[in-house]
Amino acid sequence: MLKGLALQLQERYEEAISYVQAYAELGWFEFRDDLAEIEIEKFRGWAKANNYTLNLLMGRTELLSEYVNHLANNPLEILAGMFTIMETANRFGLSVDDIVERFSKEIACFQDYKDPFSLTRHLHFRYHLAIYQLSKGRVAEGITETLRCLALASRMMEQEKFQSCVAMFWKYRHSASDQQIDEFQNILEGRNK
């Protein structure tokens, strides 16, 4: 599974799929008890979600509605799924406003996550949501998402995303409200924690 994730991060999606298929079906596993069955089922679920992710990132956008239904039935995967959906939308110029609206309550709860893995996903989701909003001409919303991402990057000491968000805000600074400019300044000065 980790090899597949590493390949995904390198955008080597076709290769990653072969690793996903390897842990999708662990029926051959010899030492099976109740605990093993639970773990095999977890891997099967992860493989299904990761297969959707890889296919969407390769441009198989016809799977999007199927993936959204999968997320609705697996709420613990919504954070990771929304990150994938926003990245796919930006990469292929899709409109996903209806999906963002459908999961708006769950998205509002993303800020409650504290574990490092979820925080990283939340950061990337906010980054891609900011890009999405700006690309759709919704500058005020895009700036708001940029500031959310910037604040997260600052707290996480994620330098690359921090710099990207500063650059994104700077590009649209003339459209920022006074409140957004103040928030930007507070984040830069470390007063947002």
Side-chain angles (χ1 to χ4, degrees), residues 2-190:
L2 292 175
K3 178 78 172 187
L5 178 60
L7 290 166
Q8 177 186 331
L9 293 173
Q10 296 171 45
E11 298 184 6
R12 294 165 57 186
Y13 306 126
E14 292 285 349
E15 290 175 76
I17 284 178
S18 67
Y19 286 91
V20 170
Q21 291 168 346
Y23 64 83
E25 185 49 57
L26 297 174
W28 53 266
F29 193 70
E30 291 180 34
F31 305 102
R32 293 171 71 161
D33 58 11
D34 290 341
L35 181 59
E37 291 298 330
I38 291 169
E39 293 303 312
I40 288 169
E41 196 55 39
K42 278 186 199 176
F43 276 91
R44 187 174 288 127
W46 290 331
K48 184 174 185 177
N50 290 337
N51 196 43
Y52 279 125
T53 295
L54 293 166
N55 277 287
L56 286 169
L57 292 172
M58 288 188 301
R60 296 204 49 220
T61 58
E62 70 275 7
L63 295 173
L64 189 56
S65 63
E66 192 178 319
Y67 185 46
V68 168
N69 290 333
H70 173 78
L71 294 176
N73 293 323
N74 296 278
L76 294 176
E77 294 180 21
I78 291 174
L79 173 58
M82 287 306 299
F83 165 34
T84 296
I85 288 168
M86 296 317 302
E87 184 177 4
T88 300
N90 289 333
R91 183 174 290 182
F92 299 105
L94 304 177
S95 177
V96 294
D97 293 342
D98 57 331
I99 299 170
V100 173
E101 178 60 33
R102 180 174 179 176
F103 292 118
S104 61
K105 289 180 184 173
E106 292 83 358
I107 290 168
C109 295
F110 289 175
Q111 65 190 7
D112 299 335
Y113 289 109
K114 303 294 183 219
D115 66 283
F117 199 61
S118 294
L119 283 171
T120 299
R121 284 179 167 166
H122 184 200
L123 173 71
H124 291 286
F125 164 74
R126 291 292 173 193
Y127 179 74
H128 284 284
L129 183 56
I131 291 169
Y132 177 78
Q133 296 289 23
L134 292 167
S135 75
K136 296 296 181 193
R138 296 187 288 253
V139 177
E141 293 90 340
I143 291 171
T144 296
E145 292 303 332
T146 301
L147 290 169
R148 287 179 177 156
C149 185
L150 183 65
L152 265 172
S154 175
R155 282 195 301 274
M156 295 170 64
M157 293 184 266
E158 173 54 67
Q159 188 66 28
E160 183 179 326
K161 281 291 183 266
F162 186 86
Q163 289 174 336
S164 295
C165 288
V166 168
M168 209 169 1
F169 182 87
W170 195 253
K171 180 177 179 181
Y172 293 93
R173 71 189 179 283
H174 299 299
S175 299
S177 68
D178 290 341
Q179 181 180 349
Q180 289 173 324
I181 291 169
D182 288 345
E183 186 177 347
F184 177 74
Q185 192 65 39
N186 286 336
I187 294 168
L188 291 183
E189 293 174 5

